[in-house]
Amino acid sequence: MRSHPGFTKSFGILILAAIASVRPIALNAQAPAQSIAAAPSSATAILSRSPQSGLQTIYVKDPSGQLTLAAECECPFQPSISLSGSRIVFRVAGPGRTSAAYYKDAPFTGDAVRIDAAADSTDDGALSSTPALSGNGQFVVFSSTGNLDAAIDDTASTADLFIRDLSSGATERLTLGAQLTGNPSISSNGRYVAFATASQLAVEDVNNVGDVYLIDRSKPEGGLRLLTAPGLNAGATDASISVGGSAVAFTSAADNLVADDVNGVADVFVV
């Protein structure tokens, strides 16, 4: 077992000095596992295919097991649902079609609403994906190659992270020039956003592999915080935040996060 100088050993858990404690939740089990510490939802979004039309469908299943057709089109992907089950977000993509993010509200009979339109409400051909809805249904975080806030130094070739307030319609950029790895995740009230990236967003990030970051939107300049170790010896991906934002899970094949990680496969960790 190799450990980085930034770690100290305490009570059998390796603690990343000045950052956070890390503990495994799936040691000696094949990863990935993309959602932990999530509050039970009153409803579930289910991706399926209609045997009649052949189209992809998204159903909302309530606690009684009742299914409601929420969306049906050629290629809906990556559905995310509010805790109440009254709102879903999803990505639509397909041959000859721009990958875009939409939301739809219960009773799901109206048209879906585009989330990722540019600042001037035009479709600039951007590719958007990985929408994740906050538990309260107000905020959606997603990645997009579009320059949605008209930033001068935006690069169209790189998908950046944005958050949209579905109540006000305001869109906020969270990253600039960051190469995301895996889906982002957002706390129930929209305050915290966790994501993995192969880009160096903090000066102490010198490991040249994917790391997990946390943004506290209540703090000036976004409150960006590196959660994984500067000495991580394999990349991290698939960050998943708890409802209250107090814990973040991620997948990594690194063997220097905790003691006795000798299984040689990726594991799931909580920080």
Side-chain angles (χ1 to χ4, degrees):
M1 174 63 201
R2 300 186 302 276
S3 63
H4 185 268
F7 285 102
T8 58
K9 189 172 183 179
S10 175
F11 304 107
I13 300 176
L14 287 175
I15 300 177
L16 179 57
I19 298 184
S21 62
V22 180
R23 60 190 186 276
I25 66 166
L27 201 60
N28 298 317
Q30 190 70 38
Q34 295 188 7
S35 179
I36 74 155
S41 173
S42 60
T44 305
I46 301 173
L47 187 64
S48 183
R49 182 178 292 277
S50 169
Q52 288 79 27
S53 65
L55 298 176
Q56 289 278 94
T57 58
I58 299 175
Y59 284 90
V60 170
K61 183 177 181 181
D62 67 22
S64 70
Q66 179 69 35
L67 290 174
T68 300
L69 178 62
E72 183 177 42
C73 56
E74 289 183 15
C75 297
F77 293 100
Q78 301 166 331
S80 180
I81 189 169
S82 64
L83 291 176
S84 68
S86 61
R87 174 171 285 170
I88 61 168
V89 298
F90 54 96
R91 168 195 171 203
V92 174
R97 184 194 299 255
T98 297
S99 176
Y102 292 84
Y103 79 91
K104 202 171 183 181
D105 290 336
F108 308 113
T109 54
D111 293 333
V113 179
R114 180 84 178 262
I115 295 170
D116 57 335
D120 59 0
S121 299
T122 62
D123 182 352
D124 61 358
L127 302 178
S128 299
S129 62
T130 64
L133 186 63
S134 61
N136 64 9
Q138 182 176 352
F139 301 96
V140 56
V141 62
F142 60 96
S143 63
S144 179
T145 59
N147 189 5
L148 304 185
D149 59 349
I152 297 175
D153 45 359
D154 178 77
T155 56
S157 60
T158 302
D160 289 302
L161 202 60
F162 294 86
I163 187 168
R164 185 173 180 88
D165 185 334
L166 297 180
S167 296
S168 68
T171 300
E172 174 189 348
R173 179 187 293 270
L174 297 179
T175 66
L176 181 62
Q179 181 184 351
L180 301 181
T181 57
N183 297 349
S185 183
I186 186 170
S187 63
S188 184
N189 63 1
R191 173 177 173 177
Y192 298 101
V193 176
F195 63 98
T197 177
S199 302
Q200 182 188 16
L201 303 184
V203 293
E204 64 268 28
D205 181 3
V206 293
N207 54 25
N208 295 316
V209 298
D211 289 283
V212 175
Y213 285 85
L214 179 72
I215 292 175
D216 182 349
R217 298 178 56 244
S218 72
K219 293 185 176 181
E221 304 301 325
L224 184 69
R225 180 185 177 196
L226 177 64
L227 294 185
T228 43
L232 198 70
N233 62 13
T237 188
D238 296 322
S240 180
I241 197 167
S242 62
V243 167
S246 61
V248 176
F250 61 91
T251 300
S252 179
D255 63 8
N256 63 344
L257 278 171
V258 297
D260 303 320
D261 185 358
V262 294
N263 58 14
V265 298
D267 299 296
V268 179
F269 299 88
V270 176
V271 63

